[in-house]
Amino acid sequence: MNATLKARLAAGETLYGTLLTLGSTEVAELLAVAGFDWIFLDAEHGALDPRDVLHLLQAVAGRTPCLVRVPALDEAWIKRALDAGAEGVIVPQVGTAEAAERVVQFAQFPPRGRRGLGTARANRYGLGVAEYLKTVSDRVVVVVQAETVEAVHNIQAIARVKGIDAVFVGPYDLSASLGYPGEVDHPAVRAAIAQVSRACREAGVRTGIFAMTAGGLGPHLPAGFTLLAAGVDTALLGEA
């Protein structure tokens, strides 16, 4: 049996992915066979509603695991993404340990969390509930994004929240929060990223980051970033 994305992440494997923002099942299928370790479904900046997410997950089913970035720290969105069969969620703009704890609560079933249980694609529309409940805690990946000055300030506490699998740096939002919008290579931005990396390493939590190109990920590999995303479907198409 192939290892789950969660197990590969925990083992420290370097996992390469890309962002999918278009609601095209054909593009999703193409990315699913392109050789990526994972796909980043972006419902924060992409114009994707829950039905789009469901259809994209159906299009790549069994080929490439997907993490859904929800639009915000929203219980209903997290529930819907996981019920649709996402391998996990990425939650943006998480600036405190209290917010990170809410993410875990919304993503996990009792007694650890408060996720509701209903018939959905993830449990074969109710036909596989018992099987799903046995394996879900070993499969669902919970990722929070550190992309603000507040998050950097609180990163030690955020990284120590039980149930967080990875902290994902959003370098562009972080650069804006620091007062250098778009300047992801500014010394202040690099220092903040290093601070996040260091705190997560000390807490034993994996780190991820985005870059517009594969080459842009290079400097982050020695720092221990393993959940990597390069490029966006729209940019890849526009530049082709």
Side-chain angles (χ1 to χ4, degrees):
M1 181 177 178
N2 293 332
T4 64
L5 182 67
K6 186 181 181 82
R8 297 179 67 192
L9 180 63
E13 287 190 43
T14 302
L15 303 168
Y16 291 98
T18 194
L19 269 71
L20 179 57
T21 66
L22 299 171
S24 166
T25 53
E26 292 84 359
V27 172
E29 285 182 304
L30 180 59
L31 292 177
V33 298
F36 292 106
D37 297 297
W38 66 293
I39 294 175
F40 186 137
L41 292 189
D42 188 8
E44 182 193 15
H45 293 296
L48 304 177
D49 63 25
R51 183 167 290 277
D52 293 323
V53 169
L54 172 63
H55 291 166
L56 293 172
L57 291 170
Q58 289 173 323
V60 304
R63 286 176 286 194
T64 306
C66 297
L67 300 181
V68 175
R69 176 161 66 180
V70 296
L73 204 179
D74 179 85
E75 182 174 9
W77 249 106
I78 291 172
K79 184 193 318 182
R80 286 177 174 179
L82 294 176
D83 282 352
E87 205 78 3
V89 290
I90 300 173
V91 180
Q93 302 288 329
V94 174
T96 66
E98 291 75 19
E101 174 61 32
R102 288 204 303 277
V103 174
V104 175
Q105 288 279 316
F106 297 158
Q108 294 191 0
F109 290 115
R112 176 64 183 93
R114 49 178 282 185
R115 178 182 168 192
L117 178 62
T119 59
R121 177 173 178 268
N123 57 47
R124 294 192 290 126
Y125 302 99
L127 301 178
V129 171
E131 178 186 358
Y132 181 67
L133 290 175
K134 287 178 183 177
T135 61
V136 64
S137 62
D138 295 325
R139 297 192 67 89
V140 169
V141 178
V142 178
V143 181
V144 298
Q145 284 204 252
E147 48 189 349
T148 61
V149 171
E150 181 186 36
V152 175
H153 178 74
N154 294 318
I155 191 59
Q156 288 187 329
I158 292 171
R160 285 175 167 76
V161 171
K162 186 178 180 182
I164 297 297
D165 294 295
V167 174
F168 197 92
V169 176
Y172 286 91
D173 278 354
L174 180 56
S175 71
S177 181
L178 289 165
Y180 307 99
E183 298 181 49
V184 295
D185 290 322
H186 190 282
V189 179
R190 291 203 304 267
I193 292 172
Q195 185 175 338
V196 171
S197 173
R198 184 166 54 251
C200 291
R201 204 162 48 242
E202 291 171 355
V205 173
R206 301 302 177 190
T207 47
I209 197 163
F210 166 79
M212 282 301 296
T213 65
L217 294 172
H220 303 295
L221 297 177
F225 286 87
T226 59
L227 187 64
L228 306 172
V232 184
D233 53 4
T234 50
L236 293 171
L237 288 167
E239 294 168 1

